[in-house]
Amino acid sequence: MALHMSVEIVRDSEVSLTAQIQRFIKKEIAEGILHPGTRLPSSRALADDLDVSRSVVVEAYGQLVAEGYLEAVRGAGTRVVPHLDRPAVVPALLDADRAPATRWDLRTGGRNLPAFPRREWLACYQLVVNAASPADHDYPPLAGEPALRTELAHYLGRSRGVRAHPDLIMVVAGFGQALGLLCAVLPGHGVDRLAVEDPAHPGQRRFLRESGLHPVPVPVDEEGIDVEALAATGVRAVLVTPAHQFPTGVVLSARRREALIRWARDVGGWIVEDDYDGGLWYERSPRPLALQRLAPDRVVYAGTASKTLAPGLRLGWLAVPGDLMDPLLRGRARHDLGTETLTQLAFAELLHSGMFDRHLRRLNAHCRDRREALDEAVRRHLPGARVAGRAAGHHAYVQLPRHVDEAALVSAALGRSVLVRGASAYHARPRRDAPALVVGHTHLPRSGVTEAVRAIGTAGHR
C-alpha cells in the first residue's frame, strides 16, 4: 500500500533535505498532527513523492528511529511510536557536537584522536611560563609570536618542503579562522567564488556561503581535483587538499599539480592548500611535498595542530604570498588581537626541542597499527569492499560494492550501535553508483576497529 504524507521542504535552503524531513516529522509529532501508531510511507514512496534521493529519506527515518520518534516494525513498515515518554532531543546524524549514544563512534573530527602528549606539553608550557617576561603577557603580535613563526618556518621547510620566510608566516586560531580571513580578503582581489573539491567537508561549503563567497564544487577522481573541470568554471581561487584529499584519501598526481599551478598563473588566481592532517603519513611510500613549494607566490599554505595535538588548542598557521600578508593582517585586526601567547610559545618549544617530531613518530606508528587492523577487518567482514586512498591521517575511505544501499547500511549500522557517515554526506552532487563509508578509526583499540567493522557487516546482512 503506497501511503502518502505531506512534507514541506525547501530545495534552495542551506539546511539539508534530510534535516528538513527530520524536523518536519518531529514538529508534526510534537504538535499532535502525526498521532502515535501512525504508519508512514515507505522510504521509496516518500522519496518519489518529494522527488529526492531515497537515501535522503532512509537517513532521515533511521535517525528518527534512533532518537525514539519512529519505530521500524518488520512486515509493517515505519510508524510513529505508540508512546513518547519524554521528548527526544538528539540532533541530526551529521551534527558535530551531539549524536546518539553508541558503542562505536566512527565519525571524523576532534573526538577521533589518540591521547594528547600531556607530559611533553606540560614540560614545554611550564618552561615557557617560568621564563616569561612581562612582554610575553602583553597583547601578541597579529602575525604571531616571532619565536613560533621561526620554528614553523624551519619545521615546515624540512618536513613539508614549504618555502616560507618567518615574516610570511601567520599564526591563526585554527583553519576556521584562516579560511574566514581569506574569505574577507579575496574579494578585494576580484574573487567572489571559491572552487572546492567534491567530495569535501560539507561544513566548509556552508562556511564559505555564510562568509560571503560562493562555493563551486569541482569533481575529484583517482588523481585528485579535475583541473580541466576547474578551469571550465571560470573561478579564480580554489581550496584543495592535495597531500591527502578529504575524504577520499587520494594524492594529487604530479601531472595535476603542474596543471593546477599553470591554471593559477594563467588566470592570476589563488590556491589555498589545506594540509589538514600535517605530519600524519604512515604509507610506506614517501609523503608528497607541499604544493606551495612549486608556486609560493600563488599558493596559500595552511596547516594546524588539530590532528597532531588537539583541536581544542585552536592553533594553526598560514604561509602567505607577500601580496596577501598585509590585507590578512588588516582583516584580522578587525576581528581579534592575536592568538594566545603562552600556547604559541609552548608549541615553539615543542618544535625546537624535537619533542614534537618524537610525538609524531609515536602517533604515526599508532595510526599505522589501526589502519592495518581496519584493512584486515574490512577484508573479513565487508566482502567486496576495500579501503581506498593512502594510509594517512585519522580516517579512511571504505569503498563499498556498487549494489550496496549506502544510506540503508548507515541506518542499519546505527541500529547495531555504530555511528558512521556515508560518503554521500560529503558530496555536493551525491553519486548513487559509488557507495562508501568515511571511517574515523585511529582513536579505537585494535579490537574496537574489528568489532565495529564486524557490526557494520552484520548490519548489512540482516
Side-chain angles (χ1 to χ4, degrees):
M1 180 170 56
L3 301 175
H4 177 75
M5 180 171 65
S6 296
V7 176
E8 296 177 352
I9 59 173
V10 179
R11 296 189 182 278
D12 60 354
S13 170
E14 293 184 359
V15 179
S16 71
L17 294 173
T18 295
Q20 289 186 54
I21 294 171
Q22 290 175 22
R23 292 179 185 179
F24 182 87
I25 293 176
K26 288 180 183 180
K27 184 173 181 289
E28 297 293 277
I29 292 174
E31 294 181 0
I33 298 171
L34 285 177
H35 300 274
T38 300
R39 286 186 59 191
L40 302 188
S42 69
S43 58
R44 192 180 305 279
L46 184 56
D48 287 342
D49 289 344
L50 299 178
D51 193 23
V52 299
S53 167
R54 183 186 172 219
S55 64
V56 169
V57 180
V58 169
E59 185 173 348
Y61 276 9
Q63 182 63 19
L64 291 169
V65 169
E67 294 178 26
Y69 285 97
L70 305 179
E71 63 180 9
V73 180
R74 184 180 297 276
T78 304
R79 65 183 182 182
V80 180
V81 294
H83 302 285
L84 284 176
D85 297 329
R86 58 182 175 84
V89 294
V90 181
L93 191 59
L94 292 182
D95 287 353
D97 297 329
R98 299 174 61 200
T102 55
R103 186 180 183 191
W104 306 116
D105 187 345
L106 304 185
R107 293 173 299 162
T108 61
R111 69 195 62 76
N112 179 31
L113 292 174
F116 181 79
R118 291 178 176 84
R119 185 180 63 182
E120 293 88 344
W121 184 259
L122 181 60
C124 292
Y125 204 87
Q126 185 171 16
L127 180 65
V128 164
V129 171
N130 289 339
S133 68
D136 293 325
H137 297 290
D138 200 351
Y139 292 106
L142 279 177
E145 289 295 329
L148 178 54
R149 295 162 71 191
T150 297
E151 291 299 333
L152 283 170
H154 295 170
Y155 170 74
L156 295 173
R158 66 176 167 80
S159 68
R160 302 292 293 112
V162 171
R163 302 179 190 271
H165 188 275
D167 289 345
L168 293 177
I169 289 179
M170 183 177 184
V171 180
V172 292
F175 184 69
Q177 184 181 50
L179 189 56
L181 290 171
L182 288 166
C183 287
V185 165
L186 288 175
H189 289 72
V191 173
D192 59 0
R193 299 185 299 155
L194 183 67
V196 293
E197 297 168 323
D198 189 17
H201 196 295
Q204 285 186 350
R205 293 192 292 268
R206 183 170 60 250
F207 183 94
L208 290 172
R209 285 192 296 269
E210 294 174 351
S211 299
L213 288 186
H214 178 67
V216 180
V218 178
V220 168
D221 59 25
E222 65 279 358
E223 289 191 74
I225 193 168
D226 185 335
V227 181
E228 290 186 3
L230 170 65
T233 66
V235 303
R236 293 185 50 246
V238 61
L239 171 61
V240 292
T241 52
H244 185 228
Q245 201 277 329
F246 185 84
T248 66
V250 302
V251 172
L252 188 64
S253 69
R255 180 175 70 90
R256 292 274 178 88
R257 285 172 173 248
E258 294 172 359
L260 188 56
I261 297 300
R262 284 197 303 272
W263 165 83
R265 296 202 185 284
D266 289 345
V267 303
W270 304 97
I271 301 168
V272 181
E273 177 179 10
D274 180 9
D275 194 11
Y276 65 95
D277 53 14
L280 290 179
W281 181 269
Y282 36 96
E283 179 90 9
R284 298 300 180 183
S285 60
R287 181 181 178 88
L289 295 175
L291 179 68
Q292 184 265 4
R293 65 184 282 109
L294 301 178
D297 60 326
R298 292 284 105 195
V299 180
V300 180
Y301 174 89
T304 79
S306 295
K307 301 297 186 292
T308 52
L309 290 174
L313 290 176
R314 305 315 303 137
L315 190 58
W317 45 89
L318 294 174
V320 182
D323 291 348
L324 293 181
M325 191 63 171
D326 284 344
L328 284 169
L329 290 174
R330 288 195 300 271
R332 184 169 195 180
R334 293 192 295 268
H335 296 283
D336 68 16
L337 294 177
T339 302
E340 190 267 316
T341 298
L342 295 179
T343 296
Q344 290 189 63
L345 295 176
F347 186 50
E349 178 61 28
L350 198 71
L351 289 169
H352 179 74
S353 66
M355 283 190 278
F356 185 68
D357 285 82
R358 290 195 291 275
H359 166 66
L360 280 183
R361 289 185 181 277
R362 293 193 301 268
L363 186 55
N364 274 300
H366 170 96
C367 292
R368 180 184 297 115
D369 179 71
R370 299 311 189 266
R371 171 63 179 253
E372 291 171 353
L374 179 66
D375 289 341
E376 175 62 23
V378 168
R379 283 194 295 269
R380 292 174 109 191
H381 303 297
L382 295 177
R386 74 181 188 94
V387 185
R390 299 301 183 92
H394 290 297
H395 80 280
Y397 195 77
V398 179
Q399 293 180 334
L400 302 170
R402 294 184 64 175
H403 68 272
V404 171
D405 185 327
E406 177 191 294
L409 180 61
V410 169
S411 179
L414 188 60
R416 297 278 178 173
S417 202
V418 180
L419 185 56
V420 66
R421 288 176 175 171
S424 61
Y426 299 85
H427 281 269
R429 305 182 183 96
R431 294 176 52 189
R432 297 186 182 184
D433 62 338
L437 301 175
V438 180
V439 178
H441 61 288
T442 60
H443 63 300
L444 299 177
R446 283 185 64 95
S447 60
V449 174
T450 301
E451 289 184 37
V453 175
R454 181 189 295 122
I456 294 173
T458 301
H461 287 92
R462 67 175 186 174

